[in-house]
mmCIF file of all heavy atoms in Angstrom:
data_model
loop_
_atom_site.group_PDB
_atom_site.id
_atom_site.type_symbol
_atom_site.label_atom_id
_atom_site.label_comp_id
_atom_site.label_asym_id
_atom_site.label_seq_id
_atom_site.Cartn_x
_atom_site.Cartn_y
_atom_site.Cartn_z
ATOM 1 N N MET A 1 -152.128 18.221 7.358
ATOM 2 C CA MET A 1 -151.099 17.993 8.367
ATOM 3 C C MET A 1 -149.789 18.675 7.994
ATOM 4 O O MET A 1 -149.081 19.201 8.857
ATOM 5 C CB MET A 1 -150.888 16.485 8.562
ATOM 6 C CG MET A 1 -152.027 15.811 9.308
ATOM 7 S SD MET A 1 -151.710 14.092 9.717
ATOM 8 C CE MET A 1 -151.744 13.346 8.081
ATOM 9 N N VAL A 2 -149.449 18.690 6.709
ATOM 10 C CA VAL A 2 -148.241 19.405 6.273
ATOM 11 C C VAL A 2 -148.386 20.902 6.555
ATOM 12 O O VAL A 2 -147.421 21.564 6.984
ATOM 13 C CB VAL A 2 -147.981 19.138 4.779
ATOM 14 C CG1 VAL A 2 -146.902 20.077 4.243
ATOM 15 C CG2 VAL A 2 -147.554 17.697 4.562
ATOM 16 N N GLY A 3 -149.570 21.449 6.331
ATOM 17 C CA GLY A 3 -149.801 22.854 6.635
ATOM 18 C C GLY A 3 -149.648 23.153 8.115
ATOM 19 O O GLY A 3 -149.092 24.192 8.501
ATOM 20 N N ARG A 4 -150.093 22.235 8.954
ATOM 21 C CA ARG A 4 -149.948 22.434 10.395
ATOM 22 C C ARG A 4 -148.481 22.322 10.822
ATOM 23 O O ARG A 4 -148.049 23.033 11.736
ATOM 24 C CB ARG A 4 -150.798 21.414 11.151
ATOM 25 C CG ARG A 4 -152.298 21.630 10.991
ATOM 26 C CD ARG A 4 -153.093 20.670 11.848
ATOM 27 N NE ARG A 4 -152.827 20.863 13.267
ATOM 28 C CZ ARG A 4 -153.409 20.140 14.222
ATOM 29 N NH1 ARG A 4 -154.280 19.186 13.894
ATOM 30 N NH2 ARG A 4 -153.124 20.358 15.491
ATOM 31 N N ILE A 5 -147.726 21.441 10.173
ATOM 32 C CA ILE A 5 -146.291 21.343 10.474
ATOM 33 C C ILE A 5 -145.586 22.643 10.107
ATOM 34 O O ILE A 5 -144.710 23.126 10.841
ATOM 35 C CB ILE A 5 -145.674 20.143 9.733
ATOM 36 C CG1 ILE A 5 -146.193 18.833 10.336
ATOM 37 C CG2 ILE A 5 -144.152 20.187 9.798
ATOM 38 C CD1 ILE A 5 -145.723 17.597 9.599
ATOM 39 N N TRP A 6 -145.954 23.220 8.964
ATOM 40 C CA TRP A 6 -145.372 24.499 8.554
ATOM 41 C C TRP A 6 -145.663 25.580 9.596
ATOM 42 O O TRP A 6 -144.777 26.380 9.951
ATOM 43 C CB TRP A 6 -145.933 24.910 7.204
ATOM 44 C CG TRP A 6 -145.437 26.224 6.701
ATOM 45 C CD1 TRP A 6 -144.282 26.478 6.023
ATOM 46 C CD2 TRP A 6 -146.089 27.495 6.858
ATOM 47 N NE1 TRP A 6 -144.176 27.813 5.745
ATOM 48 C CE2 TRP A 6 -145.265 28.469 6.240
ATOM 49 C CE3 TRP A 6 -147.284 27.895 7.448
ATOM 50 C CZ2 TRP A 6 -145.608 29.811 6.206
ATOM 51 C CZ3 TRP A 6 -147.634 29.246 7.427
ATOM 52 C CH2 TRP A 6 -146.798 30.176 6.796
ATOM 53 N N LYS A 7 -146.877 25.605 10.092
ATOM 54 C CA LYS A 7 -147.236 26.581 11.124
ATOM 55 C C LYS A 7 -146.495 26.299 12.423
ATOM 56 O O LYS A 7 -146.065 27.229 13.121
ATOM 57 C CB LYS A 7 -148.754 26.547 11.349
ATOM 58 C CG LYS A 7 -149.258 27.617 12.296
ATOM 59 C CD LYS A 7 -150.772 27.577 12.413
ATOM 60 C CE LYS A 7 -151.264 28.661 13.373
ATOM 61 N NZ LYS A 7 -152.745 28.626 13.515
ATOM 62 N N LEU A 8 -146.317 25.016 12.753
ATOM 63 C CA LEU A 8 -145.584 24.651 13.957
ATOM 64 C C LEU A 8 -144.133 25.126 13.886
ATOM 65 O O LEU A 8 -143.583 25.607 14.885
ATOM 66 C CB LEU A 8 -145.638 23.129 14.143
ATOM 67 C CG LEU A 8 -144.787 22.542 15.279
ATOM 68 C CD1 LEU A 8 -145.283 23.036 16.635
ATOM 69 C CD2 LEU A 8 -144.812 21.017 15.235
ATOM 70 N N VAL A 9 -143.523 25.006 12.726
ATOM 71 C CA VAL A 9 -142.148 25.482 12.557
ATOM 72 C C VAL A 9 -142.068 26.986 12.804
ATOM 73 O O VAL A 9 -141.108 27.486 13.405
ATOM 74 C CB VAL A 9 -141.630 25.119 11.147
ATOM 75 C CG1 VAL A 9 -140.313 25.828 10.849
ATOM 76 C CG2 VAL A 9 -141.455 23.620 11.019
ATOM 77 N N GLY A 10 -143.063 27.724 12.346
ATOM 78 C CA GLY A 10 -143.099 29.159 12.612
ATOM 79 C C GLY A 10 -143.173 29.469 14.099
ATOM 80 O O GLY A 10 -142.508 30.406 14.581
ATOM 81 N N GLU A 11 -143.961 28.678 14.845
ATOM 82 C CA GLU A 11 -144.055 28.881 16.288
ATOM 83 C C GLU A 11 -142.726 28.570 16.973
ATOM 84 O O GLU A 11 -142.281 29.303 17.863
ATOM 85 C CB GLU A 11 -145.163 27.984 16.858
ATOM 86 C CG GLU A 11 -146.564 28.360 16.421
ATOM 87 C CD GLU A 11 -147.018 29.666 17.039
ATOM 88 O OE1 GLU A 11 -146.624 29.965 18.182
ATOM 89 O OE2 GLU A 11 -147.759 30.415 16.378
ATOM 90 N N ILE A 12 -142.073 27.480 16.568
ATOM 91 C CA ILE A 12 -140.783 27.120 17.163
ATOM 92 C C ILE A 12 -139.731 28.170 16.840
ATOM 93 O O ILE A 12 -138.931 28.560 17.706
ATOM 94 C CB ILE A 12 -140.350 25.726 16.658
ATOM 95 C CG1 ILE A 12 -141.303 24.655 17.204
ATOM 96 C CG2 ILE A 12 -138.916 25.417 17.067
ATOM 97 C CD1 ILE A 12 -141.032 23.265 16.668
ATOM 98 N N ALA A 13 -139.729 28.655 15.597
ATOM 99 C CA ALA A 13 -138.754 29.682 15.214
ATOM 100 C C ALA A 13 -138.967 30.961 16.015
ATOM 101 O O ALA A 13 -138.002 31.614 16.437
ATOM 102 C CB ALA A 13 -138.858 29.962 13.717
ATOM 103 N N THR A 14 -140.223 31.329 16.244
ATOM 104 C CA THR A 14 -140.505 32.524 17.042
ATOM 105 C C THR A 14 -140.053 32.344 18.480
ATOM 106 O O THR A 14 -139.504 33.272 19.099
ATOM 107 C CB THR A 14 -142.011 32.834 16.999
ATOM 108 O OG1 THR A 14 -142.432 33.003 15.634
ATOM 109 C CG2 THR A 14 -142.334 34.093 17.785
ATOM 110 N N TYR A 15 -140.278 31.152 19.023
ATOM 111 C CA TYR A 15 -139.897 30.890 20.414
ATOM 112 C C TYR A 15 -138.379 30.985 20.600
ATOM 113 O O TYR A 15 -137.889 31.484 21.623
ATOM 114 C CB TYR A 15 -140.394 29.503 20.826
ATOM 115 C CG TYR A 15 -140.004 29.105 22.227
ATOM 116 C CD1 TYR A 15 -140.653 29.635 23.334
ATOM 117 C CD2 TYR A 15 -138.970 28.201 22.448
ATOM 118 C CE1 TYR A 15 -140.293 29.279 24.624
ATOM 119 C CE2 TYR A 15 -138.599 27.842 23.737
ATOM 120 C CZ TYR A 15 -139.267 28.375 24.816
ATOM 121 O OH TYR A 15 -138.892 28.018 26.091
ATOM 122 N N PHE A 16 -137.605 30.522 19.611
ATOM 123 C CA PHE A 16 -136.152 30.490 19.732
ATOM 124 C C PHE A 16 -135.469 31.690 19.074
ATOM 125 O O PHE A 16 -134.232 31.697 18.982
ATOM 126 C CB PHE A 16 -135.592 29.206 19.110
ATOM 127 C CG PHE A 16 -135.763 27.982 19.966
ATOM 128 C CD1 PHE A 16 -136.807 27.108 19.741
ATOM 129 C CD2 PHE A 16 -134.881 27.712 20.997
ATOM 130 C CE1 PHE A 16 -136.972 25.977 20.524
ATOM 131 C CE2 PHE A 16 -135.031 26.589 21.789
ATOM 132 C CZ PHE A 16 -136.087 25.720 21.557
ATOM 133 N N THR A 17 -136.217 32.661 18.602
ATOM 134 C CA THR A 17 -135.612 33.770 17.852
ATOM 135 C C THR A 17 -134.514 34.473 18.643
ATOM 136 O O THR A 17 -133.359 34.558 18.211
ATOM 137 C CB THR A 17 -136.700 34.773 17.441
ATOM 138 O OG1 THR A 17 -137.558 34.169 16.469
ATOM 139 C CG2 THR A 17 -136.066 36.019 16.825
ATOM 140 N N ILE A 18 -134.855 34.999 19.812
ATOM 141 C CA ILE A 18 -133.886 35.775 20.590
ATOM 142 C C ILE A 18 -132.751 34.887 21.076
ATOM 143 O O ILE A 18 -131.566 35.265 21.021
ATOM 144 C CB ILE A 18 -134.595 36.465 21.766
ATOM 145 C CG1 ILE A 18 -135.651 37.456 21.245
ATOM 146 C CG2 ILE A 18 -133.590 37.193 22.654
ATOM 147 C CD1 ILE A 18 -136.435 38.144 22.330
ATOM 148 N N SER A 19 -133.088 33.685 21.538
ATOM 149 C CA SER A 19 -132.069 32.793 22.093
ATOM 150 C C SER A 19 -131.036 32.404 21.051
ATOM 151 O O SER A 19 -129.821 32.435 21.320
ATOM 152 C CB SER A 19 -132.741 31.533 22.662
ATOM 153 O OG SER A 19 -133.665 31.860 23.675
ATOM 154 N N MET A 20 -131.480 32.051 19.843
ATOM 155 C CA MET A 20 -130.535 31.618 18.817
ATOM 156 C C MET A 20 -129.728 32.793 18.268
ATOM 157 O O MET A 20 -128.536 32.651 17.958
ATOM 158 C CB MET A 20 -131.276 30.909 17.687
ATOM 159 C CG MET A 20 -131.928 29.600 18.111
ATOM 160 S SD MET A 20 -130.791 28.452 18.905
ATOM 161 C CE MET A 20 -129.688 28.074 17.555
ATOM 162 N N MET A 21 -130.349 33.956 18.145
ATOM 163 C CA MET A 21 -129.593 35.130 17.697
ATOM 164 C C MET A 21 -128.460 35.434 18.678
ATOM 165 O O MET A 21 -127.310 35.682 18.280
ATOM 166 C CB MET A 21 -130.528 36.337 17.567
ATOM 167 C CG MET A 21 -131.453 36.301 16.364
ATOM 168 S SD MET A 21 -132.559 37.724 16.305
ATOM 169 C CE MET A 21 -131.372 39.059 16.227
ATOM 170 N N GLU A 22 -128.776 35.417 19.956
ATOM 171 C CA GLU A 22 -127.751 35.703 20.958
ATOM 172 C C GLU A 22 -126.691 34.614 21.009
ATOM 173 O O GLU A 22 -125.505 34.906 21.212
ATOM 174 C CB GLU A 22 -128.407 35.877 22.326
ATOM 175 C CG GLU A 22 -129.246 37.131 22.450
ATOM 176 C CD GLU A 22 -129.893 37.262 23.805
ATOM 177 O OE1 GLU A 22 -130.210 36.211 24.410
ATOM 178 O OE2 GLU A 22 -130.090 38.395 24.269
ATOM 179 N N LEU A 23 -127.094 33.369 20.824
ATOM 180 C CA LEU A 23 -126.112 32.275 20.817
ATOM 181 C C LEU A 23 -125.141 32.432 19.658
ATOM 182 O O LEU A 23 -123.919 32.263 19.831
ATOM 183 C CB LEU A 23 -126.830 30.930 20.730
ATOM 184 C CG LEU A 23 -125.925 29.691 20.659
ATOM 185 C CD1 LEU A 23 -125.129 29.532 21.950
ATOM 186 C CD2 LEU A 23 -126.741 28.430 20.371
ATOM 187 N N PHE A 24 -125.638 32.770 18.480
ATOM 188 C CA PHE A 24 -124.772 32.932 17.320
ATOM 189 C C PHE A 24 -123.814 34.106 17.516
ATOM 190 O O PHE A 24 -122.615 34.006 17.218
ATOM 191 C CB PHE A 24 -125.610 33.131 16.053
ATOM 192 C CG PHE A 24 -126.177 31.856 15.498
ATOM 193 C CD1 PHE A 24 -126.599 30.835 16.327
ATOM 194 C CD2 PHE A 24 -126.307 31.687 14.139
ATOM 195 C CE1 PHE A 24 -127.128 29.667 15.821
ATOM 196 C CE2 PHE A 24 -126.832 30.511 13.611
ATOM 197 C CZ PHE A 24 -127.244 29.498 14.465
ATOM 198 N N VAL A 25 -124.346 35.230 18.033
ATOM 199 C CA VAL A 25 -123.496 36.400 18.271
ATOM 200 C C VAL A 25 -122.460 36.091 19.347
ATOM 201 O O VAL A 25 -121.265 36.436 19.211
ATOM 202 C CB VAL A 25 -124.357 37.614 18.682
ATOM 203 C CG1 VAL A 25 -123.477 38.775 19.118
ATOM 204 C CG2 VAL A 25 -125.251 38.038 17.520
ATOM 205 N N TYR A 26 -122.881 35.430 20.415
ATOM 206 C CA TYR A 26 -121.962 35.116 21.513
ATOM 207 C C TYR A 26 -120.845 34.185 21.051
ATOM 208 O O TYR A 26 -119.657 34.420 21.365
ATOM 209 C CB TYR A 26 -122.733 34.484 22.668
ATOM 210 C CG TYR A 26 -121.847 33.941 23.756
ATOM 211 C CD1 TYR A 26 -121.242 34.787 24.684
ATOM 212 C CD2 TYR A 26 -121.600 32.572 23.860
ATOM 213 C CE1 TYR A 26 -120.417 34.298 25.677
ATOM 214 C CE2 TYR A 26 -120.771 32.076 24.848
ATOM 215 C CZ TYR A 26 -120.185 32.929 25.751
ATOM 216 O OH TYR A 26 -119.364 32.437 26.734
#
């Protein structure tokens, strides 16, 4: 289950990559 949580974090980070980069720059 810990391994699946680690993979889930990777999916969430990928989903928010562009949005968070632009938010920080903005």
Side-chain angles (χ1 to χ4, degrees):
M1 287 187 291
V2 169
R4 292 185 62 180
I5 291 175
W6 178 84
K7 186 177 180 181
L8 173 64
V9 169
E11 293 290 327
I12 293 175
T14 303
Y15 178 76
F16 283 98
T17 292
I18 298 178
S19 301
M20 294 306 294
M21 286 178 60
E22 291 179 329
L23 178 65
F24 281 36
V25 172
Y26 171 77

